[in-house]
């Protein structure tokens, strides 16, 4: 990332919430490889890290919970970052239906306290702090057409989408106040670090386990949902470009190509050599969501033309990479719990 700062070490200091998550861990690795000093917010000490979380050597971890605004404000004051990446929160639409209030608090209201704490610190020190919010395609839940772009009306259909919509508006409010506050409107993105509570990883881990004779059936909810799936490290690159841009703005980050969950299932089973996937996949109504977003497909014209970003990984390669990783984990007896 090409940005010069008057920082203590390297190009500057970055603070990441959600640093143990899929994106936060890739971002921490990427920034550190460029000389950034990286600090991250965690809810528990990394020695007690849970399945599905990734820690990165060299990151300085700070205890705190996004639902406790005071925690985050104090950590920000002690870190005095040049960049703030707000990636933490409840990131699963399914979980948001189980915990709607917590989702509103952690993925919605807490963003205002992060923005306010960042603004206050900037005012007190006179040093610019750039803020990037992990916004979501779920803002456009009821989109009437595809692809969606930065001007598509915001009309969420889940507690997750509603919380992200509130946060998205709050970022615009602080941008209007004069802060460098930007949003990456992220479409679905996957990797080998995706936890198995997400349908994509459940599918790749399930296909690998069935092919190895360690699982009989894979239960899934809605196979018809249509999503635009990208590769997480590409999306982290997009976040770095957005926060380094000349001006703060909103950018759709996607691949521009959509597939159904059924396409994902077919590709995963094809990767393990099973053509007759219908015989091992069962539909379970209880896993379907009360309402699901329409076709999600992003228009990446703005980020491509203004920031030169393009995705590097196509759908089939992405699914195959996840399946190969799950096969390796099975062989090492480290497969995720399904
Ligand atoms: P993830 O893997 O689920 O990571 C979420 C992170 O947030 C974890 O480090 C988690 O820490 C932390 N967190 C959750 N609740 C917290 C709390 N109360 N206080 C402090 N930290 C908390 O998510 P991701 O896939 O990397 O996504 C990163 C961001 O992008 C999220 O905001 C997500 O909503 C957004 N996004 C992701 C996608 C996608 O497809 N991945 C698409 C659109 C938008 P714990 O380990 O303590 O739970």
């Amino acid at each position: 990332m090409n940005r010069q700062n008057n920082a203590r070490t390297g190009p500057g200091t970055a603070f990441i919430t959600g640093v143990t998550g899929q994106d936060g861990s890739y971002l921490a690795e990427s920034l550190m490889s460029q000389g950034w000093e990286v600090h991250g917010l965690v809810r528990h000490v990394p020695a007690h890290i849970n399945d599905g979380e990734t820690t990165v050597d060299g990151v300085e971890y700070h205890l705190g919970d996004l639902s406790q605004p005071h925690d985050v404000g104090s950590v920000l004051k002690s870190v005095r970052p040049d960049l703030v990446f707000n990636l933490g929160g409840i990131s699963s639409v399914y979980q948001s239906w189980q915990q709607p209030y917590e989702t509103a608090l952690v993925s919605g209201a807490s963003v205002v306290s992060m923005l306010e704490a960042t603004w206050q610190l900037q005012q007190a020190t006179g040093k610019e702090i750039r803020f990037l919010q992990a916004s979501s395609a779920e803002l456009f839940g009821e989109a009437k057409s595809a692809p969606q772009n930065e001007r598509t009306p915001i009309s969420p259909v889940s507690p997750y989408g509603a919380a992200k919509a509130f946060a998205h508006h709050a970022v615009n409010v602080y941008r209007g106040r004069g802060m460098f506050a930007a949003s990456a409107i992220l479409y679905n993105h996957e990797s080998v670090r995706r936890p198995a509570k997400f349908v994509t990883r459940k599918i790749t881990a399930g296909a690998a386990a069935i092919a190895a004779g360690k699982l009989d059936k894979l239960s899934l909810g809605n196979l018809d949902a249509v999503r635009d799936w990208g590769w997480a490290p590409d999306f982290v690159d997009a976040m770095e470009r957005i926060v380094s841009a000349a001006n703060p703005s909103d950018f759709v980050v996607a691949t521009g190509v959509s597939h159904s969950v059924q396409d994902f299932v077919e590709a995963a089973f094809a990767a393990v050599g099973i053509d007759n996937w219908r015989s091992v996949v069962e539909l379970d109504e209880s896993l379907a969501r009360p309402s699901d977003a329409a076709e999600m497909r992003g228009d990446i014209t703005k980020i491509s033309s203004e920031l030169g970003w393009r995705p590097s990984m196509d759908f089939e390669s992405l699914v195959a990479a996840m399946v190969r990783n799950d096969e390796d984990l099975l062989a090492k007896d480290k497969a995720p719990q399904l």
Side-chain angles (χ1 to χ4, degrees):
M1 190 165 37
N2 186 15
R3 187 157 178 265
Q4 296 302 314
N5 280 310
N6 55 349
R8 290 155 271 179
T9 59
T13 302
F15 176 63
I16 305 173
T17 71
V19 71
T20 57
Q22 171 185 259
D23 295 2
S25 56
Y26 282 121
L27 179 62
E29 285 169 353
S30 170
L31 291 174
M32 284 198 311
S33 74
Q34 299 165 59
W36 288 82
E37 179 179 320
V38 177
H39 295 250
L41 190 77
V42 286
R43 285 193 286 179
H44 41 228
V45 285
H48 296 149
I49 218 80
N50 297 319
D51 267 2
E53 297 174 342
T54 307
T55 51
V56 175
D57 285 347
V59 171
E60 196 165 320
Y61 293 103
H62 302 263
L63 281 177
D65 193 308
L66 287 169
S67 63
Q68 307 293 324
H70 185 71
D71 286 1
V72 185
S74 325
V75 173
L76 268 174
K77 268 193 205 148
S78 71
V79 172
R80 296 181 62 153
D82 301 288
L83 306 178
V84 174
F85 292 90
N86 188 35
L87 313 185
I90 291 177
S91 61
S92 145
V93 175
Y94 182 79
Q95 189 182 347
S96 83
W97 285 107
Q98 324 296 316
Q99 297 177 287
Y101 173 74
E102 289 78 1
T103 304
L105 184 63
V106 170
S107 299
S110 85
V111 182
V112 184
S113 62
M114 288 274 302
L115 285 160
E116 180 61 23
T118 306
W119 171 255
Q120 292 298 341
L121 184 60
Q122 179 173 285
Q123 293 299 98
T125 59
K127 182 184 81 166
E128 182 190 58
I129 308 175
R130 294 185 165 210
F131 187 102
L132 180 123
Q133 165 67 6
S135 203
S136 166
E138 293 287 329
L139 299 180
F140 309 133
E142 228 168 36
K144 299 280 181 284
S145 61
Q148 299 86 32
N149 64 26
E150 295 78 6
R151 294 175 304 287
T152 299
I154 293 180
S155 54
V157 293
S158 66
Y160 172 83
K164 286 290 194 187
F166 176 72
H168 190 80
H169 289 309
V171 168
N172 279 298
V173 168
Y174 276 79
R175 189 183 305 155
R177 205 172 176 186
M179 193 166 136
F180 189 108
S183 281
I185 305 172
L186 305 168
Y187 280 62
N188 289 56
H189 49 284
E190 314 298 317
S191 74
V192 299
R193 294 185 188 169
R194 193 64 141 155
K197 68 181 179 187
F198 288 89
V199 68
T200 47
R201 182 71 190 281
K202 185 175 176 184
I203 293 168
T204 60
I210 288 171
K214 298 198 170 165
L215 185 73
D216 295 331
K217 295 265 182 199
L218 179 62
S219 297
L220 297 172
N222 176 12
L223 295 187
D224 300 328
V226 177
R227 296 288 177 269
D228 177 333
W229 279 292
W231 185 238
D234 285 345
F235 281 45
V236 158
D237 171 41
M239 291 180 203
E240 291 182 12
R241 289 173 191 248
I242 292 169
V243 89
S244 312
N247 297 303
S249 192
D250 301 329
F251 289 92
V252 161
V253 185
T255 70
V257 181
S258 58
H259 292 272
S260 66
V261 175
Q262 180 167 322
D263 294 338
F264 204 107
V265 171
E266 279 173 9
F269 280 94
V272 295
I274 296 177
D275 295 330
N276 183 17
W277 60 269
R278 286 181 195 279
S279 63
V280 286
V281 172
E282 60 189 10
L283 293 184
D284 179 348
E285 281 288 307
S286 70
L287 297 174
R289 300 163 183 170
S291 68
D292 224 334
E295 180 188 357
M296 294 276 94
R297 180 158 50 92
D299 175 351
I300 55 174
T301 306
K302 182 175 172 184
I303 191 164
S304 301
S305 61
E306 293 187 16
L307 305 182
W309 179 85
R310 293 206 65 78
S312 73
M313 178 93 107
D314 68 20
F315 177 74
E316 285 74 21
S317 312
L318 179 160
V319 179
M322 290 176 71
V323 168
R324 294 285 93 88
N325 172 65
D326 281 316
E327 289 176 325
D328 288 350
L329 290 177
L330 261 181
K332 293 178 193 151
D333 222 12
K334 288 185 172 168
Q337 193 94 36
L338 289 177

